Amino acid sequence: MHKTRYGISHWLDRYSEVHKVRNARFPRHKGNVDLDVAIIGGGLTGCATAQAFAASGVRVGLVESDRIGQGASANSTAFVMQEPDIDFQDLVTSFGLRAARTIWEMTRRAALDLPRVIRHLKIKCDLESQDSVYLASDKVSGKRLRQEFDARRKAGFQVRWLTADRVARETNLRAEGAIRVSGNAEVDPYRLCLGLARSAVAHGATIFEQSPVKRVRRFRNHVQLFTERGRITAGHVVVALGDPTGLFKPLMRHFRRTHTYVVVTPPLGARVCRELGRRNTMIWDTQEPYHYLRWTRDDRIVFGGADQAPTNPRRRKKVLIQRAGQLMYELSTHYPVISGIQPDYAWDGPIVNTPDGLPYIGPHRNFPRHLFALGFGGNGLALGFLSSRILLRHYLDEPAKGDDLFSFSR
């Protein structure tokens, strides 16, 4: 009898099945350690930052409270998207056309550079270059999406408009129209985190996992991080948690937290796949909350959405089961051929947003010798990689055009 694995990420379970003996582990922190830079957080952002700093000759260490890559990164759908988690029209309204174009160019460059780094470091993480299709779910959203297309094209970005007929031919989905963008990608996020962490270690970084930071103390010329078994002294600390957590309570009011839900089907047979359109396209729609869909190499559908405010932890499993059933029903309305199929995996993951939809990256005036990377929304991989580059530039005091657009003072 088929049994859904609730609360288990497909990426983690797949890795543990393939690497039963070689499951990578990093040591727990103990004793006293001196560093130039200490990083809190072992997800994609923390691992990419550790790799960038170490490759630049910085004495860097990373501390993760649980296991490397097994938090929000492993619970994502792992899109590498050029678009920040906000429409271009909204960016123009909030920041003006010139700044909006700069922001878009920076996230686009990050989405293109991350695959280059993956290939250069020879990280095996199922990297696939993919087009993305942004669907209009109804006539009202179709009109707005057409305006979004016109705004992007007028700003000089490479986009294509797909008519309803073209959408149906390419995706076997009904829509009022869609924007197609080339040059995005998808990955296995857990193996990507491990690959970046290993590269960081190869360049001299120190990585500790299962070592929660209990307290951070600031001094004039350094900071100290305290774990259960020791102390880390560093010139600067990078907070790459996505969410400020209890360590930085004064910052928590700047963020809005939701949970997103994901289901993964079993591998679908050849007959079913033939009725589901192209499998080399990532899809998301204009619904509120929006949905996103991608394929895996073994012909599974990864389908997510149904976002809502975080629930009471005691109800989390019950809500997950309900949301998973909702997602499978919604998926079957798009693709009736999969009706009755139960998911192999279903899990939830945190989404942390800022009021204007852009992450905060860089220093904060109330926290000397701290650098932050917080609030990535639904595009954590590209924005996390972008954060690693902005943070390194801040540390080296070599700011680039546009870095200030992600600052706390924007």
Side-chain angles (χ1 to χ4, degrees):
M1 181 178 178
H2 183 276
K3 186 176 181 181
T4 302
R5 282 163 273 197
Y6 289 104
I8 299 175
S9 163
H10 167 63
W11 319 115
L12 291 178
D13 196 53
R14 176 173 175 265
Y15 186 91
S16 62
E17 287 179 356
V18 174
H19 303 273
K20 294 186 187 312
V21 178
R22 296 186 294 113
N23 198 351
R25 286 184 178 271
F26 298 91
R28 288 181 168 91
H29 170 257
K30 63 180 179 179
N32 297 329
V33 178
D34 292 319
L35 299 166
D36 295 330
V37 175
I39 299 170
I40 305 175
L44 184 280
T45 305
C47 291
T49 302
Q51 195 279 331
F53 276 60
S56 297
V58 180
R59 287 189 309 137
V60 64
L62 183 151
V63 189
E64 164 59 31
S65 62
D66 194 359
R67 300 290 304 279
I68 294 296
Q70 293 193 11
S73 296
N75 288 319
S76 73
T77 46
F79 288 6
V80 181
M81 303 289 290
Q82 299 174 36
E83 299 90 338
D85 201 33
I86 178 173
D87 281 351
F88 185 71
Q89 299 171 88
D90 295 328
L91 278 178
V92 173
T93 300
S94 298
F95 297 95
L97 178 59
R98 181 177 295 181
R101 289 182 64 179
T102 299
I103 292 166
W104 207 270
E105 286 289 357
M106 292 176 72
T107 58
R108 178 177 179 275
R109 194 178 310 122
L112 297 175
D113 286 347
L114 176 54
R116 294 190 188 108
V117 169
I118 291 170
R119 295 185 183 101
H120 175 71
L121 297 178
K122 299 180 180 179
I123 298 174
K124 296 180 179 179
C125 59
D126 290 349
L127 171 66
E128 295 277 359
S129 295
Q130 299 278 15
D131 286 0
S132 60
V133 173
Y134 187 14
L135 298 174
S137 306
D138 52 45
K139 289 186 177 180
V140 174
S141 60
K143 181 178 179 181
R144 174 173 169 79
L145 191 64
R146 183 70 198 205
Q147 292 170 345
E148 173 72 10
F149 168 78
D150 291 338
R152 293 190 198 183
R153 185 174 62 175
K154 186 176 180 180
F157 302 119
Q158 296 297 315
V159 289
R160 291 172 53 203
W161 180 257
L162 302 183
T163 64
D165 288 343
R166 186 67 179 269
V167 172
R169 288 198 302 272
E170 294 196 9
T171 68
N172 204 22
L173 293 172
R174 291 188 299 273
E176 294 297 316
I179 297 174
R180 177 182 285 279
V181 176
S182 299
N184 289 329
E186 61 184 32
V187 295
D188 178 325
Y190 179 54
R191 290 199 291 163
L192 173 56
C193 285
L194 289 183
L196 290 169
R198 288 167 178 151
S199 177
V201 170
H203 283 91
T206 304
I207 292 182
F208 304 106
E209 60 181 8
Q210 296 182 310
S211 304
V213 175
K214 301 297 185 180
R215 185 162 55 105
V216 179
R217 292 185 63 190
R218 306 191 302 270
F219 298 89
R220 181 176 180 181
N221 297 318
H222 64 277
V223 291
Q224 288 185 338
L225 284 60
F226 295 87
T227 67
E228 292 179 346
R229 299 184 179 188
R231 180 183 69 213
I232 298 173
T233 301
H236 290 78
V237 59
V238 171
V239 182
L241 295 170
D243 189 323
T245 73
L247 285 172
F248 303 95
K249 285 184 179 179
L251 298 180
M252 293 181 71
R253 62 187 175 86
H254 296 292
F255 301 91
R256 178 172 58 87
R257 294 154 189 83
T258 58
H259 268 200
T260 191
Y261 297 84
V262 186
V263 291
V264 179
T265 70
L268 302 174
R271 182 187 65 81
V272 174
C273 288
R274 280 195 296 270
E275 299 188 37
L276 298 180
R278 294 173 56 178
R279 298 193 295 279
N280 61 344
T281 301
M282 306 183 298
I283 298 169
W284 83 102
D285 62 31
T286 56
Q287 293 184 23
E288 290 290 342
Y290 60 77
H291 300 85
Y292 32 87
L293 182 152
R294 59 165 286 193
W295 291 82
T296 65
R297 285 187 174 182
D298 58 348
D299 291 332
R300 300 173 184 265
I301 292 177
V302 182
F303 186 61
D307 299 8
Q308 66 172 21
T311 60
N312 187 309
R314 289 179 296 181
R315 298 187 63 245
R316 184 174 177 181
K317 179 68 176 290
K318 182 177 180 180
V319 172
L320 173 58
I321 294 172
Q322 184 271 327
R323 290 294 185 178
Q326 175 187 338
L327 284 172
M328 289 304 297
Y329 168 76
E330 291 171 345
L331 183 59
S332 69
T333 64
H334 294 306
Y335 295 124
V337 71
I338 72 163
S339 295
I341 293 177
Q342 296 300 307
D344 260 1
Y345 299 90
W347 69 85
D348 61 350
I351 299 288
V352 182
N353 286 292
T354 64
D356 60 18
L358 291 184
Y360 291 119
I361 309 170
H364 190 287
R365 64 182 182 179
N366 295 336
F367 294 90
R369 296 191 168 271
H370 285 59
L371 295 171
F372 294 92
L374 305 170
F376 298 119
N379 191 13
L381 296 190
L383 291 174
F385 182 78
L386 174 61
S387 296
S388 69
R389 273 51 194 166
I390 294 177
L391 293 170
L392 180 60
R393 292 196 289 266
H394 274 294
Y395 177 74
L396 298 176
D397 197 22
E398 298 174 353
K401 175 186 175 183
D403 288 356
D404 60 314
L405 296 170
F406 294 90
S407 71
F408 282 94
S409 60
R410 62 177 182 258

